[in-house]
Amino acid sequence: MKKYRGIFVKNDAEIEIMRKAGGIVAEILDELEKAVRPGVKTMAFENLALQMCEDFKVRPAFKGYLGYPFALCCSVNEEVVHGFPSERELKEGDIVSFDMGVVYNGFYGDSARTIPVGEVSPDVARLLDVTEKSLYAGIEMARAEANLYDISLAVQKYVESQGYFVVRRFVGHGIGRSLHEKPEVPNFVPSGAGVVALKPGMTLAIEPMVTVGGPEVEILADKWTAVTKDRSLAAHFEHTVVITNDGPKILSRRPEA
Ligand code: MF3
Ligand code: CO
């Protein structure tokens, strides 16, 4: 595969495979979202995700990745990312983040969204809205000849203008034949950030993680679940995106009927 400054550039055929992978992820997330209601154990979503991977004949990307034990990351309330599906029951007013990845024909798709459980308070709804909009603000900057850190800046500026915080411990990433490729895609402008020119055919997973109380996170004793240090709420939205001469295209969307 062609590389530009260490970043893989995919050809059109490869992009179509990634669009298929991303489309499957979108269909799985849609089904998970439909199943969200008070009283559901989060393990039910894992089972649904596994079943759909079987139906689509794809491999769940996260299961076994660095020892991660599940197909799905399922993070509730103050859990930021990498939460384990469990016997925990969702309750009215919770928020639940689903992060799902699949491998189709050798290429990865990766996407996440945070879903309200029943009715949530207006404050909580605003957190979800701002986090999702910050993802779209970042995607908007994923353009040929733009700087990678224009994405970071757009996400960070929007989130902070709304009084929330971006998590720094985890970042977005290049994606393709591996789940994580160069470059890292931070949701903030790192100190000393230079210029990383974006080129058509580069594929990025952009994934803002946004919190109410502060940027710090800690990892629970299970070695995976990241929670906010102050246990304030956190939200996470992610899309797999390709840079084209015609602007950014989201690959993790369900195919049009
Ligand atoms: N979307 C996450 C990521 O980009 C999901 C990884 S979970 C893991 O890293 F278990 F696979 F690490
Ligand atoms: Co990701």
Side-chain angles (χ1 to χ4, degrees):
M1 207 180 293
K2 237 175 50 182
K3 267 187 178 184
Y4 185 87
R5 293 184 192 242
I7 301 172
F8 286 114
V9 171
K10 286 81 179 177
N11 65 31
D12 291 352
E14 292 165 335
I15 296 300
E16 286 318 304
I17 298 170
M18 290 188 68
R19 196 188 305 282
K20 182 79 199 258
I24 291 169
V25 173
E27 291 201 49
I28 294 172
L29 288 175
D30 282 354
E31 288 308 306
L32 298 178
E33 182 168 347
K34 280 192 234 161
V36 169
R37 57 191 152 69
V40 181
K41 294 186 168 92
T42 59
M43 190 58 77
F45 304 109
E46 167 75 8
N47 294 332
L48 189 51
L50 279 172
Q51 181 61 53
M52 290 188 75
C53 284
E54 234 177 79
D55 295 345
F56 282 114
K57 299 187 168 40
V58 293
R59 185 164 71 77
F62 303 161
K63 200 174 167 135
Y65 181 83
L66 302 175
Y68 185 77
F70 299 100
L72 182 70
C73 297
C74 189
S75 309
V76 180
N77 295 342
E78 75 282 0
E79 297 172 356
V80 183
V81 286
H82 306 162
F84 287 179
S86 74
E87 296 306 305
R88 176 178 185 162
E89 280 183 17
L90 295 179
K91 57 182 194 332
E92 182 94 18
D94 283 347
I95 55 175
V96 58
S97 302
F98 296 126
D99 190 348
M100 184 67 196
V102 306
V103 194
Y104 168 79
N105 209 346
F107 284 87
Y108 284 74
D110 186 8
S111 181
R113 36 179 113 146
T114 303
I115 311 299
V117 181
E119 285 282 309
V120 299
S121 72
D123 281 7
V124 174
R126 193 174 79 88
L127 172 68
L128 305 195
D129 183 58
V130 167
T131 307
E132 184 170 21
K133 284 190 174 136
S134 78
L135 168 59
Y136 287 101
I139 290 172
E140 192 50 42
M141 303 311 290
R143 291 176 179 277
E145 303 312 327
N147 181 2
L148 170 71
Y149 299 111
D150 294 342
I151 300 173
S152 309
L153 180 64
V155 171
Q156 178 176 26
K157 260 178 86 174
Y158 181 66
V159 168
E160 292 177 355
S161 76
Q162 298 301 309
Y164 295 133
F165 301 87
V166 295
V167 169
R168 290 159 184 259
R169 169 98 172 244
F170 302 101
V171 295
H173 49 95
I175 179 170
R177 283 195 190 276
S178 306
L179 176 60
H180 296 136
E181 295 181 347
K182 277 180 65 173
E184 289 195 352
V185 185
N187 298 301
F188 58 95
V189 181
S191 61
V195 174
V196 175
L198 299 176
K199 298 289 173 187
M202 288 181 180
T203 44
L204 304 175
I206 303 174
E207 49 178 320
M209 289 146 268
V210 174
T211 77
V212 170
E216 298 85 12
V217 300
E218 27 182 83
I219 310 297
L220 298 185
D222 65 19
K223 302 265 180 54
W224 278 99
T225 309
V227 298
T228 53
K229 195 161 190 187
D230 62 2
R231 302 302 190 265
S232 67
L233 293 180
H236 179 209
F237 282 81
E238 174 177 24
H239 270 309
T240 299
V241 171
V242 60
I243 288 138
T244 78
N245 281 322
D246 199 20
K249 304 289 173 210
I250 295 174
L251 298 176
S252 45
R253 276 233 166 107
R254 62 185 298 139
E256 300 294 330

